[in-house]
Amino acid sequence: MEFVRLFHVEVPVPALKLLWSLEDRGATFRVDPTEHAFWVDPVSVVTDEDRVLIRRYKNHLVHLLRHCNLTPTPPLPSPEPALPGWRARI
């Protein structure tokens, strides 16, 4: 598996490609500032294969999203999680 160094951490290339793929499909991301969690909106763009990869690379994805320039969004009610029972904790 290939890795790239981003924000002082070795990140698996598949994790980076997953974020790019979701973004290409129109996804936006929100990171919980107090927990190790994130949301993908709209959840309809997340496939079953994406869910597997999200579980596998969750720590790396949260790290990347916390260091990206995400557009600030006002707090919203908890969206439907990408994974039932997940509450953004994969």
Side-chain angles (χ1 to χ4, degrees), residues 16-29 40-42 45-46 50:
L16 192 56
K17 287 183 177 182
L18 173 61
L19 286 181
W20 289 337
S21 173
L22 289 167
E23 196 172 52
D24 287 346
R25 289 182 260 157
T28 58
F29 307 96
V40 178
D41 296 308
V45 302
V46 180
D50 295 334

Side-chain angles (χ1 to χ4, degrees), residues 25-89:
R25 289 182 260 157
T28 58
F29 307 96
R30 292 186 295 130
V31 177
D32 187 310
T34 60
E35 296 183 31
H36 197 69
F38 69 97
W39 287 266
V40 178
D41 296 308
V43 73
S44 60
V45 302
V46 180
T47 67
D48 289 340
E49 183 179 322
D50 295 334
R51 286 177 176 84
V52 170
L53 295 173
I54 288 169
R55 283 185 185 99
R56 183 175 299 153
Y57 299 118
K58 180 200 175 224
N59 291 333
H60 298 287
L61 297 171
V62 170
H63 176 77
L64 288 170
L65 292 171
R66 285 210 169 136
H67 289 86
C68 291
N69 292 324
L70 297 178
T71 304
T73 56
L76 300 172
S78 293
E80 177 187 337
L83 303 167
W86 171 52
R87 184 82 176 114
R89 289 187 181 108

